[in-house]
Amino acid sequence: MRTSPRKLRNTLSWYAFGFSCVVTLLAAVLMVIFDPGLTTAAVLSAIGLNLIASVVFAVVFTILSSQVQQRGLEENIAQHLDDMALGLRAEVAAQHKDFMPTATYSPFDPIDGTYGDAFNRDMTASLETTGFYAFCGPSARYVPARLTRSRHFPHQVRVAMLSPGDKLAISRRATDRTTWVRLAGKDNATLAEELREELIMSTVALFDYRHICPVDLVYIEDTATYRFEIFDDAIYLSWYHGPQSISKEMPESLRFAAQSFLYQLLRLDLMRRFEIVESRVRFEAGQDDAFLIAHLTSVLGTSVGAADLRRWRKQYREYTADFVGYLDTVYSGLKI
């Protein structure tokens, strides 16, 4: 049976220790025997004195060696903990891009004069370098204004939002808006009508963007719990019902990198929506207002005329005027 290297080393160590002890004892005995003047009493006295010295040495050695061993043990434990911490950080860093956000943004209210500086600054930077842009959420009210104000135009734009003809979904989203500070005191019916007009204005504004880039639009049955905007480098996810989002018009948001699990999941899901949803339309440069009138008439179930389009366009410019002005300040401080 083969002996393990560790067991062999231990055996050799004990043999070496025993051999050194035997040799030392033999040498000491011979020294004592060859001393003719050494008496038994002297030998015993010498042994006693050496025992006392051995005890003193053992006590001092034990105290000093214990302190050295304690420091060595503490250093070894500290080094081991550092190595474990480095390994843990490396593992977390490896998983960071897949599951953790690269940035978080607190909720805010446009009524206080801001639109979330960090959120809009990062999103604007993403828009300025992207070739693909997509929005999915209850209402795309600021999307056309953001796209139109951009200095860089994406090659593909896809928008998924509530249909202005979906009364049930509009009523559900209107209920959520009753907590907004600037809408306090309005009943659900009033908020639902305002949201319907907002959706129509957004559709008209997206149609007007067709001269810059074709726009694919789908109407979805959204539960209005979150929204997201996708760029080539990141996805911005906003959680309407987050613990910090209550009563805030703009909810708390998170940014995930393009390599993340959430980015890959939501982008694929959105692309498939455009394949299977029946309520979809594509706005292109060759279309005129007659196409939009026919589309809105079909979606709303009521007659739409040119005067309606002029009114909605005017209302959208007024609705987004403050936001457009804010975007100008963002661009003035943006370095790309």
Side-chain angles (χ1 to χ4, degrees), residues 182-220:
R182 72 177 181 86
L183 300 180
K186 294 186 178 182
D187 59 23
N188 186 267
T190 301
L191 292 175
E193 180 57 29
E194 290 180 353
L195 177 55
R196 176 179 176 275
E197 287 288 305
E198 179 184 303
L199 292 169
I200 297 173
M201 290 188 296
S202 300
T203 303
V204 173
L206 287 170
F207 176 79
D208 291 341
Y209 187 74
R210 75 195 186 283
H211 294 295
I212 300 174
C213 174
V215 177
D216 292 299
L217 173 64
V218 298
Y219 299 115
I220 57 174

Side-chain angles (χ1 to χ4, degrees), residues 36-49:
L38 194 64
T39 63
T40 302
V43 171
L44 294 176
S45 176
I47 293 174
L49 291 173

Side-chain angles (χ1 to χ4, degrees), residues 32 53 100 104 106 177 189 199-200 204 206 216 244 282 288 326 336:
V32 172
M100 299 181 67
T104 57
S106 300
R177 291 186 171 187
L199 292 169
I200 297 173
V204 173
L206 287 170
D216 292 299
Q244 302 179 41
R282 181 178 176 85
D288 57 15
Y326 172 77
I336 299 178

Side-chain angles (χ1 to χ4, degrees), residues 13-305:
S13 297
W14 281 110
Y15 281 143
F17 176 75
F19 179 74
S20 62
C21 288
V22 170
V23 171
T24 302
L25 287 174
L26 287 175
V29 170
L30 289 174
M31 290 178 184
V32 172
I33 291 175
F34 286 107
D35 186 358
L38 194 64
T39 63
T40 302
V43 171
L44 294 176
S45 176
I47 293 174
L49 291 173
N50 282 300
L51 287 175
I52 294 172
S54 297
V55 171
V56 173
F57 172 79
V59 171
V60 174
F61 178 80
T62 300
I63 294 174
L64 294 177
S65 63
S66 297
Q67 294 177 351
V68 172
Q69 290 179 354
Q70 181 68 22
R71 287 197 298 269
L73 180 62
E74 291 175 353
E75 291 175 357
N76 288 335
I77 293 176
Q79 182 62 42
H80 184 63
L81 290 176
D82 288 342
D83 293 341
M84 291 182 61
L86 287 173
L88 180 60
R89 284 197 293 268
E91 184 175 351
V92 171
Q95 299 294 330
H96 177 79
K97 292 182 179 179
D98 293 335
F99 301 104
M100 299 181 67
T102 56
T104 57
Y105 310 98
S106 300
F108 56 91
D109 270 316
I111 194 173
D112 61 14
T114 66
Y115 286 84
D117 292 339
F119 176 77
N120 278 288
R121 183 174 59 250
D122 290 351
M123 184 176 288
T124 300
S126 294
L127 179 59
E128 290 303 303
T129 58
T130 194
F132 173 84
Y133 170 81
F135 170 91
C136 182
S139 172
R141 54 186 174 142
Y142 290 128
V143 170
R146 185 185 297 279
L147 291 173
T148 304
R149 213 62 181 175
S150 174
R151 301 171 183 174
H152 165 83
F153 304 122
H155 306 303
Q156 187 178 14
V157 173
R158 294 196 167 190
V159 177
M161 67 178 192
L162 295 177
S163 168
D166 191 341
K167 296 181 179 179
L168 184 59
I170 289 174
S171 178
R172 172 66 268 183
R173 178 56 183 157
T175 301
D176 293 336
R177 291 186 171 187
T178 57
T179 62
W180 292 4
V181 175
R182 72 177 181 86
L183 300 180
K186 294 186 178 182
D187 59 23
N188 186 267
T190 301
L191 292 175
E193 180 57 29
E194 290 180 353
L195 177 55
R196 176 179 176 275
E197 287 288 305
E198 179 184 303
L199 292 169
I200 297 173
M201 290 188 296
S202 300
T203 303
V204 173
L206 287 170
F207 176 79
D208 291 341
Y209 187 74
R210 75 195 186 283
H211 294 295
I212 300 174
C213 174
V215 177
D216 292 299
L217 173 64
V218 298
Y219 299 115
I220 57 174
E221 295 179 351
D222 193 272
T223 57
T225 57
Y226 67 92
R227 73 159 189 261
F228 61 84
E229 295 180 65
I230 301 179
F231 305 85
D232 286 342
D233 65 341
I235 180 173
Y236 296 80
L237 177 69
S238 300
W239 185 15
Y240 289 116
H241 294 272
Q244 302 179 41
S245 300
I246 303 300
S247 78
K248 298 292 185 179
E249 185 169 343
M250 300 298 177
E252 56 188 283
S253 302
L254 304 97
R255 182 183 190 272
F256 292 86
Q259 300 84 5
S260 68
F261 167 76
L262 191 65
Y263 180 98
Q264 301 295 331
L265 174 68
L266 292 179
R267 177 161 179 165
L268 178 59
D269 179 72
L270 182 67
M271 301 300 283
R272 291 192 173 186
R273 284 176 183 263
F274 281 85
E275 295 176 1
I276 64 175
V277 174
E278 295 183 358
S279 301
R280 62 179 180 270
V281 63
R282 181 178 176 85
F283 298 143
E284 299 176 311
Q287 299 164 349
D288 57 15
D289 283 355
F291 179 88
L292 179 59
I293 289 173
H295 172 70
L296 290 176
T297 298
S298 174
V299 171
L300 300 175
T302 58
S303 179
V304 174

